[in-house]
Amino acid sequence: SIAIFGQGRAILKLYDYAHPNKIQACFIVILLASILTIPVSAYVDPDLYILVFFVVLINCLHTGTSAAARATRDLRRFFKLRASLVFLRLILIFSSVFIGESIEWYLIAELIAPIFSLSIAGYGRKKLGTIKRFDIKNLREPVFIGFPMFLTAVNAVLILHYDKILLVKEIEMSLLGNYFFMSSLAASIAFVTAFHAIKYESSIYQSAFVNEAVNKTRLFIKKCVGGYILIFPALLLVIYSTKLIDTGPNIDFKVFLMLLVGNCFMGCSAGYTYLMTYFGKTHYVYYCSVAVAIISIGANNIMIPKFQIFGAGLTILMSGIIGFLINAMVARKLLSLEHVRNKVAGAKDK
């Protein structure tokens, strides 16, 4: 799932103008990334590693196909793919766990759901196509764009979940459950970012001019902020409803607010990563994520032993703000360099 993150962006970046084999190359990289799960899953459970491999492969191909639908602005097919997968997973996974009560049945459900989803969206064997006369040179761009984004996703996982690893040692499981609920609820605002990314991400990559890409990035961030403000009352209603349930989670509003604002800043910073990708500088996105991950891990190690969940919430807030500022500064630096290059190129033409 993490590996596909980079190839999804590579597909969006390359689809509009690239030779079809470059898009096929993205799917080759997806296959190679899926193969990497075999030794990991074999180590965890030797009896299930083949099944795990196919589950990862099919789900990654489904995500890549969704990215291709987004890149071509085929939003009807994109929504069919995403909505049907959620619906099918909900039914099949709950049914498999209820009936089978085993990890094997769960994995089979995870395998079947994306296959049915692709069929519902009209992707048969012919539609998915075959690779003919494939040139290995076409792997360069998908790897160059996608691999730094894969590493960025790894850092994002550390930023968002390292606090929970530390909290296991510091607090009771009931308190950890409360924190996990607050963290998941705050992270749910990511759907606002994803919703606006459907319209703006590929549009930014395909901009003909730098100023056009910059204006679309600013509009994306404004739309995200507006969406966060609109959804905030709904999240407050969820928190209030939990207080009416005796057995519900015990919500610390201050901690939740820090988690929510931190996630909002992380969502807004995605706009600047799109702009860096537009300039073909995804490695800068990775460098920024490394800086934020180091700060986040260091702050968690200092704050959590002293302040427990309050320290974890404060670290997420700090990481979100710092990450936003770092990405903004790097994107603006790249923008200024691009303007200088354009001026130099214009002077040479004269």
Side-chain angles (χ1 to χ4, degrees):
S1 299
I2 295 173
I4 185 58
F5 183 82
Q7 287 314 301
R9 185 164 294 197
I11 290 170
L12 290 172
K13 181 78 168 69
L14 295 172
Y15 209 105
D16 195 50
Y17 59 85
H19 190 277
N21 271 1
K22 289 186 179 179
I23 307 305
Q24 292 173 339
C26 293
F27 284 89
I28 292 290
V29 176
I30 289 170
L31 173 62
L32 296 174
S34 301
I35 290 172
L36 294 176
T37 64
I38 292 179
V40 178
S41 53
Y43 174 77
V44 175
D45 194 330
D47 298 327
L48 296 175
Y49 70 93
I50 294 296
L51 186 56
V52 170
F53 163 69
F54 281 109
V55 168
V56 172
L57 176 61
I58 295 298
N59 275 280
C60 285
L61 288 175
H62 184 281
T63 307
T65 306
S66 299
R70 278 180 60 189
T72 54
R73 311 281 175 84
D74 190 352
L75 296 184
R76 186 177 179 182
R77 178 161 277 155
F78 172 77
F79 282 119
K80 270 188 179 181
L81 285 165
R82 301 313 300 174
S84 62
L85 182 64
V86 172
F87 180 73
L88 287 165
R89 287 185 79 243
L90 190 66
I91 293 175
L92 291 171
I93 290 173
F94 272 97
S95 300
S96 67
V97 172
F98 180 75
I99 296 169
E101 297 185 351
S102 68
I103 189 69
E104 289 86 352
W105 280 98
Y106 164 74
L107 289 171
I108 290 170
E110 285 279 23
L111 180 66
I112 294 173
I115 293 174
F116 282 1
S117 175
L118 287 166
S119 300
I120 290 170
Y123 285 96
R125 185 168 57 86
K126 291 182 180 179
K127 182 70 179 176
L128 290 173
T130 56
I131 296 172
K132 297 177 181 179
R133 298 177 183 177
F134 179 73
D135 187 351
I136 198 168
K137 292 179 181 177
N138 289 319
L139 289 175
R140 182 182 177 276
E141 282 185 280
V143 172
F144 181 76
I145 295 170
F147 188 67
M149 296 310 303
F150 158 65
L151 296 176
T152 301
V154 174
N155 288 330
V157 170
L158 284 174
I159 292 166
L160 290 172
H161 298 296
Y162 183 72
D163 52 353
K164 299 172 187 67
I165 296 171
L166 292 182
L167 284 170
V168 169
K169 302 174 183 178
E170 299 290 338
I171 61 176
E172 297 177 1
M173 291 303 292
S174 59
L175 292 175
L176 181 63
N178 290 335
Y179 179 76
F180 194 89
F181 176 81
M182 288 189 288
S183 179
S184 299
L185 188 62
S188 67
I189 58 98
F191 95 86
V192 174
T193 311
F195 176 78
H196 291 299
I198 292 169
K199 180 179 179 180
Y200 289 101
E201 184 180 359
S202 59
S203 179
I204 290 168
Y205 300 153
Q206 295 163 13
S207 297
F209 304 101
V210 173
N211 287 338
E212 181 186 352
V214 171
N215 290 334
K216 287 177 180 177
T217 300
R218 288 172 179 165
L219 190 57
F220 167 78
I221 293 172
K222 288 179 181 177
K223 292 282 187 181
C224 285
V225 172
Y228 300 151
I229 293 170
L230 287 174
I231 201 175
F232 184 66
L235 296 178
L236 287 180
L237 185 62
V238 172
I239 291 174
Y240 177 73
S241 65
T242 61
K243 294 183 180 296
L244 302 178
I245 305 171
D246 293 335
T247 57
N250 183 22
I251 302 298
D252 186 322
F253 184 73
K254 290 181 181 178
V255 173
F256 173 73
L257 196 60
M258 288 189 289
L259 291 169
L260 182 64
V261 175
N263 276 275
C264 288
F265 273 101
M266 290 179 193
C268 288
S269 66
Y272 292 115
T273 70
Y274 299 158
L275 194 58
M276 286 185 245
T277 304
Y278 168 76
F279 291 128
K281 305 292 185 182
T282 53
H283 53 289
Y284 281 99
V285 181
Y286 168 62
Y287 298 152
C288 293
S289 72
V290 169
V292 178
I294 291 171
I295 293 169
S296 177
I297 291 170
N300 272 315
N301 280 299
I302 294 170
M303 301 292 286
I304 287 177
K306 292 183 178 180
F307 304 109
Q308 283 79 49
I309 63 171
F310 186 86
L314 189 59
T315 299
I316 290 290
L317 174 62
M318 183 177 68
S319 299
I321 294 172
I322 291 173
F324 177 82
L325 294 174
I326 290 175
N327 280 293
M329 287 189 292
V330 172
R332 288 181 180 180
K333 183 67 175 177
L334 291 174
L335 180 61
S336 63
L337 290 173
E338 190 68 20
H339 284 314
V340 170
R341 286 194 200 97
N342 290 340
K343 287 180 180 178
V344 171
K348 286 182 178 178
D349 291 338
K350 291 179 181 178

